[in-house]
C-alpha cells in the first residue's frame, strides 16, 4: 500500500489547527464566564486523534486536563465502520466540567455518536466536539452527530496520515493523503 496523492498538506493543517484552537479558546471562555475555577477536560479519541490533539492543545492556552479514551471501529484492514467499541474506562466525574471531545475524522458517526451520548449523560457544563476532517457522506451517516468544530470537509474516500491509519500504519505521515487502490 502506498499513498497515491496528498490531499491536505502539513502547512494547511497547521493553519487550520491554529484557527480552530483560537475559536475553541474564545468559546471556552464564554461558556465558563463567571466560574472561578472552570474545569476544562479535553478528551482525545485514541489512536487517531493523537497527532491533531498534540497540535491543537498548543493553541488552547487555558488550564485543562487531558483524558484520552480508546474507541475502535476499524479492526485490521477494514475501511468501513464495523460499529464502535469503547475500550477501557471512560471518566465518570464530568458533571459540571467543560468537555471537548477531539477526533481525527467524522465518518459513519458511530464513534462520536456513542461517546457524545455517554458523556452527555454525566451532565457536563458544556460539551463540544472538534474533528479535523468531516467526511461528506452522500447517502447520509449511520448516525447524525452534532459537531461544533470541523477542520476540513473531504470527499468520501479513505485517507491516511497525520494520525489516521490503515491497518495501524501511516499515522506518522506529516500530510494527509489518499491510498493508491491495491
Ligand atoms: P465513524 O465511527 O465511522 O465516524 O469513524 C470514526 C473513526 O474511524 C475515526 O476515529 C477514525 O479513526 C476511523 N476512520 C474513519 N474514516 C477513516 C479514514 O478515511 N481513514 C482512517 N481512519 C478512518
Ligand atoms: Mg479513531
Amino acid at each position: 500500500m502506498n499513498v497515491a496523492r496528498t490531499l491536505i498538506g502539513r502547512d494547511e493543517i497547521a493553519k487550520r489547527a491554529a484557527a480552530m484552537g483560537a475559536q475553541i479558546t474564545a468559546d471556552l471562555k464564554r461558556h465558563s464566564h463567571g466560574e472561578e475555577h472552570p474545569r476544562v477536560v479535553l478528551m482525545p479519541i485514541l489512536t487517531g486523534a493523537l497527532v491533531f490533539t498534540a497540535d491543537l492543545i498548543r493553541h488552547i492556552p487555558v488550564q485543562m486536563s487531558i483524558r484520552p479514551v480508546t474507541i475502535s471501529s476499524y479492526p485490521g484492514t477494514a475501511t468501513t465502520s464495523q460499529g464502535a467499541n469503547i475500550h477501557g474506562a471512560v471518566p465518570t466525574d464530568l458533571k459540571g466540567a467543560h468537555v471537548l471531545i477531539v477526533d481525527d475524522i467524522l465518518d459513519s458517526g458511530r464513534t462520536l455518536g456513542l461517546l457524545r451520548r455517554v458523556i452527555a449523560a454525566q451532565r457536563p457544563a458544556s460539551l463540544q466536539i472538534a474533528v479535523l476532517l468531516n467526511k461528506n457522506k452522500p447517502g447520509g451517516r449511520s448516525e447524525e452527530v452534532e459537531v461544533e468544530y470541523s477542520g476540513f470537509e473531504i470527499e468520501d474516500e479513505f485517507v491516511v496520515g497525520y494520525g489516521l491509519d490503515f491497518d495501524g500504519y501511516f499515522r506518522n505521515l506529516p500530510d494527509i493523503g489518499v491510498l493508491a487502490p491495491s
Side-chain angles (χ1 to χ4, degrees):
M1 278 292 207
N2 276 308
V3 174
R5 64 191 160 89
T6 295
L7 192 65
I8 310 171
R10 64 198 78 179
D11 296 344
E12 207 183 337
I13 298 171
K15 255 189 235 159
R16 191 71 186 111
M20 290 173 81
Q23 199 195 337
I24 289 166
T25 305
D27 289 349
L28 278 172
K29 288 190 173 153
R30 200 160 40 79
H31 292 145
S32 61
H33 184 74
E35 290 176 43
E36 206 177 338
H37 299 291
R39 201 153 60 90
V40 175
V41 176
L42 198 115
M43 193 172 285
I45 303 181
L46 299 181
T47 306
L50 189 66
V51 181
F52 177 45
T53 301
D55 284 339
L56 185 67
I57 55 176
R58 284 175 281 178
H59 297 286
I60 309 177
V62 305
Q63 187 168 313
M64 64 165 72
S65 59
I66 300 173
R67 315 276 296 273
V69 298
T70 300
I71 303 181
S72 72
S73 59
Y74 287 107
T77 55
T79 55
T80 55
S81 178
Q82 310 291 303
N85 298 294
I86 298 182
H87 304 273
V90 170
T92 54
D93 57 350
L94 299 172
K95 189 173 162 55
H98 297 274
V99 180
L100 178 72
I101 296 171
V102 181
D103 206 0
D104 49 1
I105 188 165
L106 173 65
D107 183 18
S108 75
R110 289 190 179 111
T111 301
L112 285 165
L114 172 66
L115 191 60
R116 182 160 205 134
R117 280 194 302 282
V118 167
I119 301 305
Q122 297 184 37
R123 305 264 164 249
S126 69
L127 175 56
Q128 316 281 118
I129 297 179
V131 293
L132 179 64
L133 305 176
N134 192 330
K135 237 189 227 187
N136 203 355
K137 305 294 269 190
R141 299 187 201 285
S142 307
E143 184 168 345
E144 288 304 331
V145 188
E146 205 181 318
V147 163
E148 285 75 12
Y149 311 98
S150 163
F152 300 94
E153 292 219 354
I154 64 167
E155 292 313 307
D156 192 8
E157 53 189 349
F158 200 80
V159 292
V160 296
Y162 198 75
L164 293 127
D165 75 302
F166 174 73
D167 200 17
Y169 294 103
F170 303 109
R171 293 194 197 275
N172 55 321
L173 299 181
D175 308 303
I176 293 170
V178 178
L179 284 182
S182 64

